[in-house]
Amino acid sequence: MSKTALVVDDSRSLRTMVSDTLEEAGYNVLQCANGQEALDTVAEKSVDFVITDVNMPLMDGLTLVKRLRSLPGMQYIPILILTTESTSNMKNRGRLAGATGWMVKPFNPAQLINVVTRIVA
């Protein structure tokens, strides 16, 4: 049975690129444009891992990670942050929020699948 990813990014083109990469690797993908939409989605559907941007309207990615971690059944699912933010301060804030991993955009599709395979296995 294939695993389901939740891809959260306010950029439609980036969501599509990440989703296409994951689908080609055999994952099911749900897409959301912001953190609030993602919370609404996980309330109705179960996901195996989340890939989220940091800078988004309505709810940023770090807030989303904290909110996801507070939900039953979401404490241990892998959450990968995929963002243009690359400072050690931001990465540390991601870790403190509960992120499993951090990747900087632009992403390499093979590298993304490699990271996802490691964190989701």
Side-chain angles (χ1 to χ4, degrees):
M1 188 169 119
S2 61
K3 297 194 180 281
T4 300
L6 175 61
V7 176
V8 189
D9 198 304
D10 56 320
S11 163
R12 180 186 309 253
S13 60
L14 198 97
R15 267 196 328 269
T16 301
M17 285 190 299
V18 172
S19 297
D20 289 350
T21 299
L22 293 169
E23 286 170 352
E24 284 174 24
Y27 295 98
N28 297 315
V29 180
L30 302 171
Q31 294 185 32
C32 295
N34 61 63
Q36 186 56 56
E37 210 177 283
L39 285 177
D40 295 343
T41 298
V42 299
E44 296 174 14
K45 298 184 169 107
S46 120
V47 300
D48 296 296
F49 64 102
V50 177
I51 297 176
T52 184
D53 187 16
V54 169
N55 301 308
M56 298 180 289
L58 298 180
M59 182 187 299
D60 69 271
L62 296 178
T63 303
L64 172 62
V65 172
K66 288 179 197 162
R67 297 279 299 276
L68 287 172
R69 289 295 183 220
S70 72
L71 298 173
M74 296 295 286
Q75 292 91 338
Y76 305 110
I77 72 151
I79 301 175
L80 178 65
I81 294 180
L82 179 62
T83 181
T84 56
E85 300 281 352
S86 62
T87 65
S88 55
N89 178 41
M90 281 302 285
K91 290 178 183 177
N92 193 42
R93 288 177 59 199
R95 267 193 300 278
L96 291 173
T100 310
W102 190 282
M103 280 185 71
V104 177
K105 297 175 188 171
F107 74 97
N108 170 309
Q111 183 188 15
L112 177 67
I113 295 305
N114 186 13
V115 169
V116 166
T117 302
R118 278 195 324 230
I119 66 173
V120 175

